Amino acid sequence: MKIRIVDYVANLGGGVRFTAEMLRGLAEIPGLSFEVVSSGDALTRYRGLLAGMDVGFVDVPPSQAWRGRTLLAGIPGAGPLNFILRTHPNRIDVSGKVLEDCDLAWFPWLHRHRIPRGLAHKVVGSLHDLIMIEFPRWFPGGAGAERKILETWLRSDARIAVSSRVTDALLRRHFGIPAGRVSVIPLSGQHGVPARPPTTRAWPFSGRDYLLCPANHSRHKNHEVVLAAAEAVASRHPLVLTGDGTDIYRGQSLRAEELRGLAERGGLVADETLFAIGYVDDPDYYAILEGAWAVVMPTLAEGGGSFPVWEALERGIPAVVSDIPVMREMMERVGGEVLWFDPRDPASLARALRELEGGYAQFKARALEQRMRLSRRGWREVAVDYANVMGIHTSPGGGMIETGQLKVLRVGPGLESPLATFFDHLAATGEGERFHPHPFTRVEAEARCAHSGLDLYCVAVARGVVLGYGMLRGWDRGYEVPSLGIAVHADARGTGLGRTLMLHLHAEAQRRGAPRIRLKVYPDNTAAVNLYRSLGYEFEPSLEQGQLVGFKRLPG
């Protein structure tokens, strides 16, 4: 199966890192081949980033690259004038031929890309955030262009993935999309080891207990609050800025000038209490991160969380984090502890920094200890979830099962033997302790296959073997809201099969007019809890017989 990765932006930092890690995960699935389609500097960036991987590169210029054609392009402050003159600084029209010579096209950064509508059915796009929609005043003209592009994507047949429930909710609020229009696939913070060691450069802050702020200069990263608050500890813990555009003492942009002024008003002194070094590549960044006293993330908005915060948690480095919904969601998923502050209040951040300094030994000890209990999600798992959205499923042995080989069937005559074998497996592995809708016996398998009521029982079958079992029950007893349950073969877990079964059952419940779906899960079954939450389930505050009770609303 040939997959083309199409990206004419190659966004520095999280964007290209996401693409690289995803490709490494997808490359573990046999039967897939990859080509990166891009042009200019973006293609050059990908060639360097993916060197050594079995990936082809194709130089196909976009049919229209509006940023390059924009009047006064590249001149700081020209955005409003370009908007008045009705140019399009944020749109890249993708040529139809890019999508023709492949089985599927993946846009790892769908923002700014406009795809041919007639070929959208073979496209999967990753939507990272709605920052331009949430903060339009910061993007004169660009926010309107972004909204039009996103509307085109959302109206098309393209499959779209986001990385948090928060982003899904924002899409529904701003664009009125139905629940289930996008797939929620949380990302991983476990990045690959850089291919080369860091440079031998001696940083001027080396040997000091520095506070690291790893964020590019975009306004939503909110350097305003950290530059105003850092003086509270900067004489003992100088502030280090990394990220594209943060070399503010060398930069000539309006944003650099603005940040220099903020630093001066905040009492910070260049190369004494503030070191603004700008973008560094991964080997140097990780070396800087390892030596940090703490990491501060002042962001006002993110799409799925923060890679730098994940990486700090993995290394046992205390993190001071803005208290916004998406970061709360990320920490709920990861299970770590951070110090929170109000990102719009410098005094709140200053208090958090002083609290950290005053009890640093205890905070550092907790940060080191919690590394052992973080809920980790690898890029292989992310890639499998994406493969599921792409219509690819992985077999227990790791091979590829395409959509035509994996089938979800209603349980009925002829499935007694494979279903009984699956039930034997569930009984032998102790699955009945967590999932107990009925006994897992051969007699019960025959009864399920002979069932003729309203309740629905289905199986996921590949090459004649049952790998998953799902149900919607309660209709036989007259309930309006069915209860959902699934079980997946132990060898097929982590392949995206559970999500496939869930989506099938959601579609069946919606087709029958159910307003909601109900399910129960034990709180310590974190993999299942995370899956259900990513699919839109909300859990009741109290337990029922030791289990969480969750509900998902279905479109009317």
Side-chain angles (χ1 to χ4, degrees):
M1 182 178 187
K2 180 178 177 181
I3 299 177
R4 278 190 158 175
I5 298 93
V6 185
D7 182 10
Y8 289 95
V9 177
N11 189 50
L12 281 172
V16 291
R17 292 170 75 192
F18 162 66
T19 308
E21 298 291 358
M22 270 288 297
L23 273 176
R24 292 188 184 101
L26 288 170
E28 294 182 26
I29 303 174
L32 303 181
S33 65
F34 307 96
E35 286 182 346
V36 172
V37 178
S38 190
S39 192
D41 291 343
L43 182 59
T44 300
R45 197 171 296 154
Y46 271 120
R47 286 185 188 275
L49 183 71
L50 304 177
M53 291 185 63
D54 188 14
V55 177
F57 298 92
V58 182
D59 189 344
V60 180
S63 57
Q64 300 232 41
W66 287 99
R67 178 173 288 277
R69 297 164 61 93
T70 299
L71 295 175
L72 304 180
I75 298 176
L81 180 56
N82 287 323
F83 177 62
I84 293 169
L85 295 173
R86 308 195 69 78
T87 58
H88 301 260
N90 285 292
R91 195 182 87 201
I92 300 167
D93 291 348
V94 177
S95 170
K97 66 181 180 181
V98 168
L99 308 183
E100 291 171 355
D101 186 26
C102 63
D103 298 297
L104 181 138
W106 173 44
F107 286 70
W109 189 268
L110 67 75
H111 307 268
R112 292 178 51 197
H113 294 86
R114 193 168 74 167
I115 56 175
R117 193 176 183 115
L119 296 172
H121 63 280
K122 62 193 302 185
V123 169
V124 173
S126 299
L127 193 158
H128 289 266
D129 58 62
L130 293 179
I131 291 166
M132 293 181 76
I133 307 301
E134 284 282 280
F135 302 98
R137 68 185 183 280
W138 292 340
F139 306 94
E146 174 82 343
R147 174 174 284 277
K148 289 179 181 178
I149 288 172
L150 294 184
E151 286 173 344
T152 300
W153 276 87
L154 293 167
R155 287 197 304 264
S156 76
D157 293 330
R159 288 154 282 176
I160 299 172
V162 299
S163 52
S164 70
R165 301 191 307 273
V166 169
T167 300
D168 181 24
L170 288 173
L171 279 170
R172 282 184 271 150
R173 190 179 85 196
H174 285 287
F175 295 92
I177 63 170
R181 170 62 185 92
V182 300
S183 299
V184 179
I185 303 179
L187 303 184
S188 169
Q190 296 182 304
H191 296 298
V193 177
R196 68 164 181 81
T199 63
T200 56
R201 175 178 176 181
W203 300 102
F205 47 84
S206 296
R208 300 180 66 180
D209 291 334
Y210 53 87
L211 175 65
L212 176 62
C213 180
N216 66 53
H217 74 305
S218 299
R219 289 187 179 277
H220 75 277
K221 295 297 186 181
N222 194 28
H223 285 87
E224 283 79 355
V225 72
V226 76
L227 291 173
E231 189 186 19
V233 297
S235 62
R236 300 168 299 283
H237 307 290
L239 177 64
V240 175
L241 303 182
T242 65
D244 188 33
T246 61
D247 50 346
I248 60 175
Y249 294 110
R250 294 191 301 271
Q252 300 301 313
S253 69
L254 293 178
R255 181 62 172 160
E257 181 181 342
E258 182 180 17
L259 294 178
R260 286 196 298 271
L262 290 169
E264 183 178 348
R265 289 193 293 277
L268 299 174
V269 180
D271 297 329
E272 291 184 17
T273 55
L274 173 62
F275 297 88
I277 62 176
Y279 178 80
V280 293
D281 60 10
D282 283 354
D284 285 338
Y285 170 70
Y286 289 134
I288 293 169
L289 175 62
E290 293 282 359
W293 174 74
V295 165
V296 60
M297 182 52 60
T299 182
L300 291 170
E302 297 293 334
S306 167
F307 286 154
V309 172
W310 260 319
E311 291 159 348
L313 294 172
E314 288 279 359
R315 289 163 173 79
I317 299 169
V320 187
V321 180
S322 61
D323 193 353
I324 58 175
V326 72
M327 295 307 301
R328 286 281 183 177
E329 179 183 336
M330 173 187 145
M331 296 310 301
E332 174 189 313
R333 185 170 63 249
V334 174
E337 297 178 16
V338 299
L339 285 87
W340 298 103
F341 69 93
D342 180 350
R344 297 187 181 278
D345 182 5
S348 175
L349 174 54
R351 285 193 299 272
L353 292 173
R354 291 192 189 99
E355 180 184 358
L356 174 61
E357 185 179 43
Y360 187 77
Q362 292 80 13
F363 283 113
K364 180 65 176 179
R366 288 209 295 268
L368 290 169
E369 182 273 332
Q370 74 178 2
R371 290 182 300 173
M372 303 302 295
R373 53 184 171 82
L374 294 175
S375 178
R376 290 175 170 84
R377 172 175 166 84
W379 283 102
R380 162 72 180 181
E381 296 171 85
V382 180
V384 165
D385 282 349
Y386 260 91
N388 182 45
V389 173
M390 292 173 176
I392 307 161
H393 304 281
T394 55
S395 69
M400 181 177 69
I401 304 175
E402 296 197 34
T403 304
Q405 296 172 316
L406 181 74
K407 298 179 180 179
V408 179
L409 307 173
R410 183 163 185 168
V411 169
L415 288 171
E416 293 89 349
S417 180
L419 183 59
T421 300
F422 181 77
F423 282 0
D424 287 344
H425 168 77
L426 295 181
T429 56
E431 182 65 19
E433 296 178 7
R434 288 184 177 272
F435 180 59
H436 31 73
H438 52 67
F440 292 128
T441 64
R442 290 185 171 266
V443 171
E444 191 65 29
E446 293 173 358
R448 292 308 98 209
C449 290
H451 177 264
S452 59
L454 296 174
D455 289 349
L456 174 69
Y457 300 88
C458 65
V459 288
V461 180
R463 305 185 184 102
V465 177
V466 172
L467 297 176
Y469 173 59
M471 63 186 67
L472 290 168
R473 302 198 306 173
W475 286 314
D476 283 351
R477 295 186 177 184
Y479 290 108
E480 183 183 28
V481 175
S483 293
L484 180 149
I486 64 167
V488 175
H489 194 288
D491 292 337
R493 290 172 193 160
T495 66
L497 189 58
R499 185 179 292 270
T500 296
L501 275 171
M502 296 287 289
L503 294 174
H504 175 82
L505 293 169
H506 292 171
E508 284 294 320
Q510 184 178 347
R511 185 177 65 81
R512 296 192 187 192
R516 295 190 299 168
I517 298 177
R518 180 182 187 270
L519 58 72
K520 294 194 295 184
V521 60
Y522 286 99
D524 61 349
N525 190 353
T526 55
V529 171
N530 288 338
L531 171 64
Y532 301 152
R533 281 184 168 141
S534 76
L535 289 168
Y537 283 85
E538 297 180 356
F539 290 97
E540 299 288 290
S542 57
L543 300 180
E544 181 179 304
Q545 297 178 329
Q547 296 185 82
L548 293 167
V549 179
F551 290 91
K552 176 183 173 64
R553 294 190 179 277
L554 297 174

